[in-house]
Amino acid sequence: MVIKRRHWAPTVAPLALALALLLTATGCDSTSGAGTAEPTAAPSTATSAARAVARVCANPAAGPAKAPAGAVTVDPAVVGDLTAKTRNSPPHTTFWLRPGRHRLDPDRYAQVIPKTGDRYLGAPGAVLDGGKKNQYAFAGTARDVTIRYLTVQHFVAPQNEGVVNHDSADGWVIEHATIQDNSGAGLMAGARQQVRASCLRDNGQYGMNAYKGGGGIRGLVVEDNEIVGNNTDDWERRQQGCGCTGGIKFWAVDRADIRGNWVHGNHGAGLWADTDNNDFLIEDNVLDANDGAALIYETSYNAVIRNNTIRRNNWADGRRYADRGDNFPYAAVYLSESGGEPRVRARTAKIDIYRNVLEDNWSGITLWENADRFCNSPANTSSGDCTLLVKNTHRCTQPAIDKAPLYADCRWKTQRVDIHGNRFVLDKSVVQCTDMCDRMAVLSNYGTYPDWSPYKGEKVAEAITLKQDNHWHDNVYLGPWQFVVHDPSRVLDFDEWQGTDYRQDADSTLDAGAGG
């Protein structure tokens, strides 16, 4: 499921001065420094109070100093001790890893294969180290495995594969863990997985790849983690347009709670939900200084995005595209072919974006729909995937696709997006830009491809702009914002944006000089 976002498919309650002071005072430099350069000027003080951040990388919780009753003790002096004792113990065993560096056998495929209900607890200073030789740390299909208080590092998983829960088994709990400096993804995900209070740091591709081969994932919780510095191998540039990076990438996840995380300094997007995700609650996160968008929600459905602080994101990617003359409104929050759909069961029937503060990002929120991207189109880079409304993909061809219901159901639509009660702050002296960094947008391209497409011309651009129930209202804008509608060439001022043609941002205010 590789998503290529080029061409025409690009890729927030402010952290104010208080958060800048918080990060300085609380040891932000103990985590990855990449992508977290401080702004050259202080952020505007016309913002809300700072939100606390999950500083788990700098201050990891300590595990039990003594083995719990009945636990099997694992000796770091014995190479392969963890693998052997797991193999020789019954299901539902608790393993306590002594302080020190634990190693697996020096074979690339040496790995721990837990049994159902096994629990792995690290003592203070316990590290499972792959020595840049082992590909995987914990693998297999056993359910309800728990990993706590353990550092897992220096494994070399291949691209798109993961080190912990390599086979995306269900019901795993990862708490107070540090998963760092691995190739591939630090962590995979299965159904009902819980990842809490953990540090996912400086992994080569993803902090976590929430993907399960052969089926989707339901019931994922990602809470109070620090997710920083991932994609150290720079996969988007090695395979341009691969759509294969992020602090966390989500694929076909149904019902996810993403709350209270500090997602910062990742080399690419912070959070990226891609292809038939549904029912996401994204709240109370701090998304800060990611090279790409803070959040991408792509070809997916039904989400609540609220009470997040989204600050200083997309500086690297936005500037790179602008410098080469690309006028697409790349933004900190990017919705691509994603919207509310009442026929897909969820806690909401829209994408509801409210009570967020977006401060000094490269642009704000872009709603995008690629007119050439639909089921069976060669332009659908989610190869082989179709919308959740069409079970038989082969139906999305001529002549049936020209008529209802398939004309509507064979394409992912950016619809029923409600953006309200947010604060958008922009100081161009902080972002160090003059133009292309100040945009809010709702647009599409001119449909051209393939020859049998029923969506040619301006049909989709007219629909996303005027007919698909996408609305901004009751927001506050501080700074010199502009607004893009229909296509990248239509750039409006605030009065035109609110005027009779588009009727956006009713009961909103703009103070162009207040952002800096």
Side-chain angles (χ1 to χ4, degrees), residues 135 155-163 181-188 202-209 230-233 235 244 246:
Q135 290 190 346
F155 288 80
V156 286
Q159 182 188 12
N160 298 324
E161 298 186 36
V163 170
D181 298 321
N182 303 287
S183 299
L187 176 64
M188 300 297 286
D202 294 340
N203 296 288
Q205 188 177 6
Y206 305 106
M208 181 170 74
N209 185 11
N230 297 289
N231 187 30
T232 58
D233 291 335
W235 279 104
C244 61

Side-chain angles (χ1 to χ4, degrees), residues 20-21 23-24 28 35-41 43 288 311-312 315 430 432:
L21 295 174
L23 297 182
T24 301
C28 179
T36 58
E38 288 299 317
T40 56
D288 184 24
R311 179 175 181 261
R312 301 188 308 160
W315 287 14
V430 172
Q432 296 186 349

Side-chain angles (χ1 to χ4, degrees), residues 15-43 262 264-265 288-289 311-312 315 319 359-360 429-432:
L15 270 186
L17 183 59
L19 182 56
L21 295 174
L22 174 65
L23 297 182
T24 301
T26 55
C28 179
D29 59 357
S30 67
T31 63
S32 171
T36 58
E38 288 299 317
T40 56
W262 185 17
H264 64 110
D288 184 24
R311 179 175 181 261
R312 301 188 308 160
W315 287 14
R319 195 182 316 278
E359 181 182 8
D360 293 333
S429 69
V430 172
V431 185
Q432 296 186 349

Side-chain angles (χ1 to χ4, degrees), residues 263-321:
V263 184
H264 64 110
N266 294 286
H267 306 290
L271 303 175
W272 189 343
D274 188 348
T275 309
D276 287 341
N277 298 278
N278 175 54
D279 196 8
F280 272 49
L281 174 60
I282 302 171
E283 65 177 356
D284 298 326
N285 302 284
V286 175
L287 310 177
D288 184 24
N290 298 288
D291 286 354
L295 171 64
I296 300 174
Y297 206 69
E298 181 174 1
T299 54
S300 294
Y301 301 88
N302 301 325
V304 173
I305 302 167
R306 66 188 180 196
N307 299 331
N308 299 287
T309 298
I310 302 178
R311 179 175 181 261
R312 301 188 308 160
N313 296 281
N314 203 36
W315 287 14
D317 287 2
R319 195 182 316 278
R320 183 169 67 251
Y321 291 125

Side-chain angles (χ1 to χ4, degrees), residues 379-391:
N380 175 23
T381 50
S382 297
S383 302
D385 289 294
C386 192
T387 70
L388 294 179
L389 303 175
V390 180
K391 301 303 181 185

Side-chain angles (χ1 to χ4, degrees), residues 12-15 287-295 308-316 318-319 330-333 356-365 423-428 430-433 435-440 481:
V12 264
L15 270 186
L287 310 177
D288 184 24
N290 298 288
D291 286 354
L295 171 64
N308 299 287
T309 298
I310 302 178
R311 179 175 181 261
R312 301 188 308 160
N313 296 281
N314 203 36
W315 287 14
R319 195 182 316 278
Y330 297 93
V333 175
N356 303 285
V357 181
L358 289 83
E359 181 182 8
D360 293 333
N361 300 285
W362 189 282
S363 288
I365 298 176
R423 179 183 289 256
F424 301 102
V425 181
L426 176 64
D427 185 340
K428 288 187 175 181
V430 172
V431 185
Q432 296 186 349
C433 66
D435 58 12
M436 300 300 297
C437 64
D438 52 4
R439 302 192 174 193
M440 208 71 57
W481 290 95

Side-chain angles (χ1 to χ4, degrees), residues 342-397:
R343 291 173 291 173
V344 179
R345 186 175 180 179
R347 290 167 286 186
T348 181
K350 59 184 178 179
I351 294 185
D352 203 2
I353 304 175
Y354 64 98
R355 291 204 307 261
N356 303 285
V357 181
L358 289 83
E359 181 182 8
D360 293 333
N361 300 285
W362 189 282
S363 288
I365 298 176
T366 287
L367 309 188
W368 160 255
E369 193 170 328
N370 183 347
D372 299 327
R373 187 178 187 182
F374 52 92
C375 304
N376 289 328
S377 169
N380 175 23
T381 50
S382 297
S383 302
D385 289 294
C386 192
T387 70
L388 294 179
L389 303 175
V390 180
K391 301 303 181 185
N392 184 355
T393 306
H394 299 293
R395 297 173 62 205
C396 294
T397 54

